[in-house]
Amino acid sequence: MNSPVRALLAATVIALCIPQAARGLSPFEAAAARLDSLRLDPVEGLWSMSPAGGGAVFSIIAAPGRPGVFEMRILESPDWRVAENTLCGEVRAAARPGVYDCRMAADPSKSSFAPALSTHTATMELASDGARLIIRPYRRRHRISLRRWLPYFFRISIHEENTRPDDLDGAVRLYPPIPGANPVNL
């Protein structure tokens, strides 16, 4: 091989081997560069939680070697204990188009995300315009009803009523931009 080709090949190998943080890219730029190089699922991108949700910025990108599974990583958080690019959950496509099942770490500041330990579950639904992600938490649990054991002991029951709509919590897409949607500057 002649020397210009060899130098170009060496430069390409070095550029691919050096992590993006070492090249001076911010987590936003690194995630955007990765998103630009992939064929994207509608849920993939950079998202910002609504102000009611805390204002964290996270990415959803396909997990390498795991089809249908996406990694959720926090890029920026108001909680100083959470490091940049922290894996905080995984998202899986559901049977209904535009709906995803999500498991998120209860405390993302811990050193690693263990899907079986201390997680919250939610469904994520992509809005029709593709610029919003509606998050609805759900819970799976077992309950023991003492009321069935002692039918006449508990005659007064207290029920909690929650009239808050389910689709108020969610995220707004930052990148890639959706044609026709309001642009968001990074």
Side-chain angles (χ1 to χ4, degrees):
M1 264 200 265
N2 57 14
S3 63
V5 173
R6 181 178 279 167
L8 181 61
L9 182 62
T12 304
V13 168
I14 290 171
L16 292 175
C17 292
I18 296 175
Q20 278 128 354
R23 285 188 258 157
L25 295 178
S26 73
F28 295 112
E29 293 168 337
R34 184 168 177 209
L35 288 168
D36 286 339
S37 69
L38 300 172
R39 189 168 159 230
L40 300 179
D41 190 88
V43 76
E44 290 183 280
L46 300 180
W47 299 89
S48 174
M49 290 299 290
S50 59
V57 176
F58 61 94
S59 67
I60 298 178
I61 299 178
R66 297 172 64 197
V69 179
F70 306 93
E71 291 180 345
M72 182 186 295
R73 294 187 174 272
I74 295 179
L75 302 178
E76 186 177 290
S77 172
D79 185 357
W80 59 270
R81 298 175 301 150
V82 179
E84 292 178 350
N85 206 23
T86 300
L87 179 64
C88 66
E90 67 181 25
V91 178
R92 295 175 185 268
R96 200 166 70 213
V99 177
Y100 300 86
D101 190 34
C102 173
R103 288 190 311 195
M104 295 178 274
D107 186 4
S109 66
K110 300 288 185 198
S111 60
S112 66
F113 169 69
L117 302 173
S118 184
T119 59
H120 294 290
T121 52
T123 59
M124 294 181 157
E125 184 174 351
L126 202 59
S128 59
D129 64 354
R132 304 218 180 269
L133 192 62
I134 300 165
I135 301 172
R136 294 184 182 103
Y138 70 88
R139 186 184 330 196
R140 291 181 185 161
R141 65 179 183 169
H142 298 286
R143 283 185 1 180
I144 297 174
S145 174
L146 295 175
R147 196 171 173 191
R148 291 200 177 261
W149 290 358
L150 305 169
Y152 297 106
F153 189 68
F154 295 102
R155 295 213 180 229
I156 299 173
S157 62
I158 299 172
H159 297 283
E160 179 181 331
E161 183 178 345
N162 186 358
T163 59
R164 185 176 187 270
D166 287 338
D167 55 357
L168 294 182
D169 296 324
V172 178
R173 183 184 296 274
L174 296 177
Y175 190 85
I178 301 294
N182 295 334
V184 177
N185 296 326
L186 294 177

